[in-house]
Amino acid sequence: MTVLRDFLNLTTALTVVAVCACTVLLTGDVAFTAGLSRGPQLPSHLSGSSSLVRSPFASAHETLGTKGVLCYGMGFGVLMALGRGLLSQVRVSRQATSDIAVQDKADVTDKIAYLKDIPRTIVEKDALELILKNTPKDQWENPPEDSYLYTVKAYAEMYGPGKATKMGWWDYYRMKIELPDTTRLESERELQEIEEWEKLMMEGKIPFAVPGPSGYWFTGFVTQWKGKEPFAGDQVITLTENGLFAKQFLSNMAFYREGLKPWQRGLEIGMAHGYFLIGPFTSLGPLRNTPEAATVGLLCGCAIVGIVSIGGLLFGSTIKPTRFDKEGDKPAAGFIEMINWHAIGGLGGAGFAHALITVFGSG
């Protein structure tokens, strides 16, 4: 009744206002304006323009008449009533639709056993509603294993009224990290984004991001960083290891380059190591400010080359790698040959660097 009374009052007031406005505009002297002050009179030279302004309204009044104005007001009131009635019907239909949806949801949840009386320690009510909204109804009874609802089902079937009442700390910890934190989610879209992220991680994919001043900027690309088995560490794929530049760089190193003999590999690797090893001892050693700095660096570099060569020989004698072996050779024969030439190349590289320091160095 209150709503109906407000509706009648509003439409009546709007109708009266419309009638008054039309009467004021379409007539010059009416009862509605009799008590109002007319203000200062216009000058005579402006009276003509004033009459021009009033003439359209006067002609409209003559055309419509008093009955036409009243009909206009009544029509306006009827239109307002119809508009308000349509709005009220739309509101009622929306409320009915929402009530039906809630009732249907309640009927479906009552038919599914594990959704009845789920303890709050497993999942809060708002979290469960958000998970159900994000999962199709035909999957509620048997949810996919990679969904949040599957986790809820697993714990709800194990713990609850008439079931186990004590939960281990590890199960509780796993439950909390596997279910979403709805207190930090503002919309259903964020929950979908989290599920998509976890699915990508399980497939061995990760969104490619570029570091910026305030965090990371996602480029929209996805990189495959794991193989078909997500828990196999030897299938990890990185740009450093599997990128085109990295592959070409590694394949051109002496250890992996095709077409070289073991002694050639050892000689090149040893020369490179021996050449740069004496530099730190010469420039940073305790005798760096003495004339013997270069000699001390040479001796230290040769000592390190000797230690590495002995370690390589021990490795070849025990592990016996067959990477550089030829057909008919003993196990690790090619590797041991490479290590022997590594020692020769290391001594030669250190001696060459010592000669350069002695000749061109600033003593």
Side-chain angles (χ1 to χ4, degrees):
M1 294 298 294
T2 304
V3 176
L4 181 60
R5 190 187 311 114
D6 295 339
F7 172 71
L8 293 176
N9 293 335
L10 179 61
T11 54
T12 303
L14 291 175
T15 303
V16 173
V17 170
V19 173
C20 294
C22 291
T23 304
V24 171
L25 293 175
L26 298 176
T27 61
D29 295 320
V30 293
F32 292 107
T33 60
L36 298 178
S37 175
R38 296 184 182 277
Q41 298 295 327
L42 292 175
S44 59
H45 66 279
L46 294 178
S47 60
S49 62
S50 176
S51 62
L52 291 176
V53 174
R54 290 197 302 267
S55 59
F57 297 105
S59 61
H61 178 267
E62 294 175 356
T63 303
L64 293 176
T66 304
K67 294 182 179 180
V69 173
L70 292 176
C71 292
Y72 172 79
M74 294 175 63
F76 182 80
V78 171
L79 291 176
M80 288 296 300
L82 291 175
R84 290 294 300 271
L86 291 176
L87 290 177
S88 61
Q89 290 181 1
V90 170
R91 291 176 182 174
V92 171
S93 62
R94 288 181 179 177
Q95 183 65 30
T97 303
S98 62
D99 294 340
I100 293 173
V102 172
Q103 185 64 31
D104 293 341
K105 181 179 178 181
D107 295 340
V108 174
T109 53
D110 291 339
K111 294 179 181 179
I112 300 176
Y114 74 92
L115 292 177
K116 297 179 181 179
D117 302 328
I118 299 180
R120 290 181 56 191
T121 53
I122 294 179
V123 61
E124 294 287 347
K125 183 178 179 180
D126 56 347
L128 181 59
E129 292 180 355
L130 187 60
I131 293 173
L132 291 176
K133 287 181 180 179
N134 198 39
T135 306
K137 289 185 179 181
D138 56 351
Q139 297 181 358
W140 284 7
E141 189 171 358
N142 294 312
E145 295 185 1
D146 57 351
S147 63
Y148 288 123
L149 191 58
Y150 181 84
T151 304
V152 173
K153 179 182 178 181
Y155 283 96
E157 291 179 347
M158 179 63 65
Y159 302 98
K163 306 170 188 176
T165 57
K166 292 184 179 181
M167 183 183 298
W169 69 270
W170 176 251
D171 288 341
Y172 183 79
Y173 171 75
R174 291 292 303 176
M175 180 183 68
K176 289 301 179 182
I177 65 174
E178 288 178 357
L179 291 177
D181 186 4
T182 55
T183 59
R184 299 182 180 180
L185 298 178
E186 298 181 355
S187 62
E188 183 180 350
R189 177 59 184 170
E190 294 185 2
L191 181 62
Q192 295 177 356
E193 291 177 354
I194 294 176
E195 285 189 342
E196 292 175 0
W197 174 276
E198 293 182 351
K199 289 180 180 179
L200 288 176
M201 294 294 292
M202 291 303 298
E203 293 175 359
K205 301 177 181 179
I206 188 171
F208 186 75
V210 178
S214 61
Y216 293 92
W217 300 86
F218 291 98
T219 60
F221 297 99
V222 177
T223 59
Q224 183 76 33
W225 69 286
K226 279 191 176 182
K228 296 181 179 180
E229 176 58 46
F231 300 103
D234 57 346
Q235 296 182 2
V236 173
I237 302 173
T238 62
L239 293 176
T240 305
E241 181 182 1
N242 296 87
L244 180 61
F245 174 78
K247 287 183 177 180
Q248 291 180 352
F249 179 79
L250 292 175
S251 62
N252 286 326
M253 297 181 69
F255 192 84
Y256 299 103
R257 195 186 310 150
E258 299 291 338
L260 294 181
K261 296 181 179 179
W263 69 269
Q264 292 174 328
R265 301 178 189 275
L267 187 64
E268 182 175 346
I269 296 173
M271 290 179 64
H273 286 157
Y275 182 78
F276 68 76
L277 276 176
I278 74 170
F281 296 103
T282 303
S283 302
L284 304 176
L287 301 177
R288 57 184 177 275
N289 295 325
T290 62
E292 292 79 13
T295 304
V296 172
L298 173 62
L299 296 176
C300 293
C302 293
I304 292 179
V305 170
I307 293 172
V308 172
S309 299
I310 293 173
L313 292 175
L314 292 175
F315 178 82
S317 302
T318 54
I319 304 301
K320 299 184 182 299
T322 59
R323 180 181 180 87
F324 306 115
D325 292 347
K326 299 178 182 179
E327 295 183 3
D329 291 345
K330 294 181 180 180
F335 185 84
I336 292 177
E337 180 183 358
M338 182 189 69
I339 293 298
N340 292 331
W341 282 93
H342 172 271
I344 298 174
L347 296 177
F352 181 72
H354 177 266
L356 294 178
I357 293 174
T358 303
V359 174
F360 299 102
S362 59

